[in-house]
Amino acid sequence: MRRVLVLSATVVAGVLAGASPAAAHGKRVCNGDLSGVTINGNVTVPAGGACHLTGSTVRGDVKALGGAYFQATDTTVRGDVKGSRARTLLIDGGSTVRGHITTDRTDKVFIFASTIGGRIDVQRANQKVNVCGNTVRGDIVVKRSTRDILVGDPLAVDCPGNVVRRGDVEIEDNVVDVELVVRGNTISRGDLDFKRNSGPAAKFVEGNAGGGRLDCRGNDQPFTAAQNTGWDRVLGQCKP
């Protein structure tokens, strides 16, 4: 089986080399590798910079600017995490984001095994989106993104389904040439909309437990829907 995420440690280490964690902490600009710190206020990852927080707390928002790399591992962010034309946004290792995670035109978005108090909203990602094994209070939205998208896929390595407590899952208007998978998620009270997704790659809506409405419409072939259970209503291409 394939692994979901492969990061180049050499590339990341090279970007982080020479950064000044103390200065980054003091100025609320993170361009380095910080561990076990508490940052009082908002954090910015500068354009082209790289920030990896481990075992830390941010008492505000985090914003990754154009071409930036941001990773939070076993870290709590009390506000929002935002990526605007960033290179990579990676939340993992049991992290907690109390607000929202929102990205626009970020190349790669990886959110693994974390707790999100608000919504996950990914717009126009242009390489890869993996949202796996999270507990999310709000919505999961992936729209107008490309190439390779997994929103839960227990058949892949390290990509269990997500638990969505109160929100909806909206996977719409994406164009994929690798794969588009929404599999193994539990959507306790909301809806799952899978609409107008195109491109030559296989598209799967499988093994998702609902929930309110499961609605699949306007998706290009190849498309497969199977073993989705517990929904009040099943519509469109997802109807058995």
Side-chain angles (χ1 to χ4, degrees):
M1 292 191 295
R2 54 186 166 73
R3 292 195 65 83
V4 174
L5 169 63
V6 178
L7 293 177
S8 171
T10 302
V11 170
V12 173
V15 174
L16 295 178
S20 173
H25 182 221
K27 294 181 181 180
R28 298 180 185 172
V29 171
C30 183
N31 193 14
D33 194 347
L34 303 178
S35 180
V37 301
T38 297
I39 301 174
N40 294 312
N42 299 329
V43 170
T44 298
V45 186
C51 172
H52 184 188
L53 299 177
T54 304
S56 297
T57 299
V58 177
R59 293 175 174 168
D61 300 332
V62 175
K63 186 171 184 179
L65 301 181
Y69 173 99
F70 174 69
Q71 181 175 355
T73 302
D74 186 27
T75 286
T76 296
V77 178
R78 295 188 180 178
D80 301 330
V81 176
K82 304 173 184 178
S84 178
R85 298 180 184 269
R87 176 163 54 93
T88 301
L89 187 75
L90 169 57
I91 311 294
D92 70 344
S95 291
T96 297
V97 176
R98 294 187 183 177
H100 307 301
I101 298 176
T102 60
T103 71
D104 184 34
R105 297 182 185 179
T106 292
D107 292 343
K108 299 177 182 179
V109 180
F110 302 112
I111 307 172
F112 293 135
S114 295
T115 300
I116 314 303
R119 69 181 183 276
I120 297 172
D121 190 346
V122 179
Q123 302 279 344
R124 295 181 285 188
N126 58 31
Q127 290 188 32
K128 197 176 186 73
V129 178
N130 290 163
V131 179
C132 307
N134 303 288
T135 299
V136 184
R137 185 173 179 82
D139 302 330
I140 298 177
V141 177
V142 182
K143 292 185 177 180
R144 295 179 290 172
S145 297
T146 62
R147 303 229 63 201
D148 187 354
I149 300 170
L150 303 181
V151 179
D153 186 4
L155 300 184
V157 176
D158 299 330
C159 191
N162 303 280
V163 176
V164 180
R165 295 294 190 193
R166 293 182 178 273
D168 302 323
V169 175
E170 300 175 15
I171 312 299
E172 298 178 349
D173 301 305
N174 302 290
V175 182
V176 289
D177 59 6
V178 178
E179 61 187 343
L180 174 51
V181 180
V182 179
R183 182 182 282 139
N185 301 286
T186 299
I187 303 163
S188 301
R189 301 185 183 182
D191 302 327
L192 170 53
D193 290 328
F194 191 96
K195 297 178 179 178
R196 301 177 304 277
N197 298 292
S198 61
K203 305 161 195 71
F204 297 94
V205 180
E206 295 183 333
N208 300 289
R213 179 191 69 242
L214 172 59
D215 193 354
C216 305
R217 297 177 188 270
N219 301 290
D220 285 358
Q221 297 295 333
F223 172 86
T224 301
Q227 299 178 338
N228 298 293
T229 60
W231 298 92
D232 292 339
R233 290 183 295 160
V234 179
L235 304 172
Q237 292 167 291
C238 280
K239 289 185 71 172

